[in-house]
């Protein structure tokens, strides 16, 4: 019998007390049957080289200490006020003549695209609102392309961005990847009615043949439900990958919005300010980063308003910090446009 490593032998030995002997050879003495079981266990036990290739066991969750937090964010009312003010005054470079950033929200049905707009809109309205359709249904509740504005207050001036909401992605229905270039390039008018059975062509009503930079998309946001990261189908991932190809061709930055973090992690459910101390949420960030090929720094956890009736400071801070990062990425898009203009002169 070949020699085995002491580590494998110790591993097997520790299980002897828990061994249930097979009943296939009841006539054999107990010692003989025990030896037979051990031989099989030693043969099947992984070697050290085998164990290196085995998938790592994921942690069951838990929290990092405050000093170990994997991102830092203050959760007080002053931080909320500062973020709200910063977002309200952030605008595109004036030299382009573009008044508003255009942020395109893409994701599966029920992931929280419309809910994120409603959350941001609620912050500036001063109470929870539901302007965009939201809820759960077998197919997308969003059937029209909407370029939503957010105003500084009810009846106030529009802020310097629009959130472009779309039909949800589905495995066999929903938004078709072939429609994405028209959305990115600004060809599709606001309130365009999607038809899953008919692809977008230049013949659709209101099609913009020559869109300006102001009508094009400046940042794309993939919205993903945190609780579904591990079960994303290969078809949905394939759609995300195809969309990424169109987005990268145009030099548009991508952010992933990881929603419903409160339902994914019990610690975060009890206290949203623990989101960046949650080991489980960090694991989900790493997992979606690997699946979509997006840097972890581009993945932003959020919680949208869904059942609440009143605003919550921590919800607002997380949402506003995500929106601020979208603006910063959109700034990078305009910086690239500026560099391109400089190169041609």
């Amino acid at each position: 019998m070949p020699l085995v490593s002491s580590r494998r032998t110790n591993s097997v030995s520790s299980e002897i007390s828990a061994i249930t002997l097979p009943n296939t050879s009841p006539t054999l003495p107990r010692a003989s049957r025990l030896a037979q079981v051990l031989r099989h266990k030693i043969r099947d036990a992984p070697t050290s080289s085998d164990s290196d290739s085995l998938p790592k066991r994921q942690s069951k969750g838990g929290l990092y200490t405050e000093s170990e937090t994997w991102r830092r964010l203050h959760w007080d009312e002053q931080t909320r006020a500062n973020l709200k003010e910063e977002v309200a005054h952030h605008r595109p470079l004036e030299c382009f003549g573009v008044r508003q950033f255009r942020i395109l929200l893409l994701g599966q049905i029920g992931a929280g695209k419309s809910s994120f707009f409603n959350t941001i809109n609620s912050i500036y309205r001063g109470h929870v609102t539901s302007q965009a359709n939201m809820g759960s249904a077998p197919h997308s509740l969003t059937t029209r392309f909407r370029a939503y504005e957010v105003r500084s207050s009810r009846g106030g001036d529009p802020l310097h961005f629009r959130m472009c909401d779309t039909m949800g992605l589905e495995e066999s229905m929903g938004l078709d990847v072939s429609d994405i270039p028209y959305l990115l390039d600004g060809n599709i008018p606001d309130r365009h009615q999607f038809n899953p059975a008919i692809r977008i062509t230049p013949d659709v009503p209101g099609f913009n043949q020559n869109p300006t930079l102001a009508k094009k998309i400046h940042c794309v946001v993939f919205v993903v439900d945190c609780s579904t990261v591990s079960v994303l189908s290969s078809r949905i991932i394939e759609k995300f990958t195809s969309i990424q190809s169109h987005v990268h061709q145009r030099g548009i930055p991508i952010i992933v919005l990881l929603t419903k973090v409160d339902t994914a992690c019990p610690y975060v459910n009890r206290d949203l300010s623990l989101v960046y101390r949650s080991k489980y949420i960090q694991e989900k960030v790493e997992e979606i980063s690997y699946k979509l090929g997006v840097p972890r720094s581009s993945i932003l956890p959020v919680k949208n308003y869904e059942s609440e009736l009143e605003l919550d400071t921590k919800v607002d801070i997380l949402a506003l910090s995500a929106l601020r990062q979208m603006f910063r990425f959109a700034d990078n898009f305009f910086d690239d446009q500026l560099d391109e203009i400089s190169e041609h002169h």
Side-chain angles (χ1 to χ4, degrees):
M1 179 177 175
L3 293 175
V4 296
S5 69
S6 59
R7 180 167 59 179
R8 293 172 66 193
T9 303
N10 291 340
S11 174
V12 172
S13 299
S14 65
E15 299 177 19
I16 290 177
S17 60
I19 290 176
T20 301
L21 295 180
N23 294 321
T24 55
S25 305
T27 58
L28 286 176
R30 175 178 173 83
S32 298
R33 285 187 285 152
L34 180 59
Q36 188 180 63
V37 171
L38 286 175
R39 279 198 297 272
H40 284 290
K41 282 190 170 290
I42 291 172
R43 182 194 64 191
D44 297 334
T47 63
S48 58
S49 58
D50 292 334
S51 62
D52 290 340
S53 63
L54 293 174
K56 300 292 188 294
R57 179 179 295 177
Q58 291 190 337
S59 75
K60 299 296 184 182
L63 295 174
Y64 291 110
T65 64
E66 190 168 348
S67 63
E68 295 172 327
T69 183
W70 46 281
R71 283 182 193 162
R72 299 204 172 275
L73 192 61
H74 296 292
W75 299 95
D76 53 274
E77 186 60 40
Q78 186 60 52
T79 297
R80 178 190 181 276
N82 292 344
L83 281 168
K84 187 178 176 183
E85 185 76 7
E86 181 179 350
V87 165
H89 289 91
H90 200 131
R91 63 181 66 193
L93 288 171
E94 292 185 5
C95 62
F96 289 105
V98 175
R99 190 172 64 88
Q100 293 174 311
F101 295 116
R102 288 174 75 89
I103 299 167
L104 179 63
L105 304 174
L106 298 170
Q108 286 183 275
I109 58 171
K113 302 183 305 300
S114 301
S115 296
F116 182 68
F117 161 74
N118 285 335
T119 295
I120 296 297
N121 197 36
S122 297
I123 293 170
Y124 285 93
R125 285 294 184 90
H127 57 86
V128 176
T129 67
S130 185
Q131 182 177 342
N133 289 337
M134 51 183 273
S136 59
H139 299 292
S140 182
L141 291 174
T142 303
T143 59
R144 295 191 298 173
F145 175 70
R146 287 305 322 271
Y148 289 113
E149 285 188 316
V150 173
R151 296 180 178 273
S152 58
S153 60
R154 188 175 185 188
D157 295 329
L159 300 182
H160 305 289
F161 67 96
R162 283 180 180 262
M163 284 192 185
C164 301
D165 197 9
T166 60
M167 177 179 279
L169 293 172
E170 300 179 56
E171 291 196 14
S172 57
M173 295 183 65
L175 183 67
D176 195 275
V177 174
S178 64
D179 295 339
I180 295 297
Y182 295 119
L183 293 173
L184 298 176
D185 293 340
N187 302 116
I188 307 305
D190 189 20
R191 301 179 190 274
H192 167 77
Q193 183 70 46
F194 289 109
N195 184 341
I198 302 175
R199 301 280 65 85
I200 295 174
T201 69
D203 298 324
V204 301
F207 189 90
N208 187 345
Q209 294 283 358
N210 299 295
T212 63
L213 184 60
K215 292 293 185 181
K216 297 183 178 183
I217 296 301
H218 311 132
C219 180
V220 170
V221 178
F222 289 163
V223 183
V224 179
D225 180 342
C226 185
S227 62
T228 68
V229 169
S230 296
V231 295
L232 282 176
S233 70
S234 58
R235 179 62 180 144
I236 291 297
I237 293 175
E238 181 183 320
K239 285 193 172 187
F240 274 129
T241 303
S242 297
I243 292 170
Q244 280 177 283
S245 177
H246 292 299
V247 174
H248 290 322
Q249 286 173 10
R250 292 159 174 78
I252 303 172
I254 294 176
I255 277 178
V256 175
L257 205 62
L258 203 58
T259 61
K260 306 184 183 182
V261 292
D262 56 316
T263 61
C265 174
Y267 297 103
V268 177
N269 186 46
R270 289 197 293 269
D271 184 352
L272 190 61
S273 68
L274 297 176
V275 64
Y276 290 133
R277 288 175 55 191
S278 168
K279 294 180 180 180
Y280 182 78
I281 299 301
Q282 186 185 40
E283 286 177 2
K284 295 297 110 179
V285 167
E286 292 172 350
E287 187 176 352
I288 198 65
S289 170
Y290 174 77
K291 288 188 173 184
L292 299 184
V294 176
R296 285 173 293 177
S297 59
S298 300
I299 302 171
L300 310 174
V302 295
K303 175 204 163 7
N304 293 323
Y305 286 116
E306 294 180 2
S307 61
E308 296 83 358
L309 297 179
E310 302 296 335
L311 297 181
D312 181 277
T313 297
K314 294 173 183 177
V315 173
D316 294 356
I317 287 172
L318 205 55
L320 288 169
S321 64
L323 183 58
R324 177 180 63 180
Q325 198 67 5
M326 294 173 199
F327 290 174
R328 290 172 175 176
F329 275 41
D331 281 338
N332 293 338
F333 172 79
F334 283 102
D335 290 342
D336 286 343
Q337 298 293 309
L338 201 58
D339 290 342
E340 188 174 337
I341 291 172
S342 299
E343 289 172 3
H344 286 85
H345 290 78

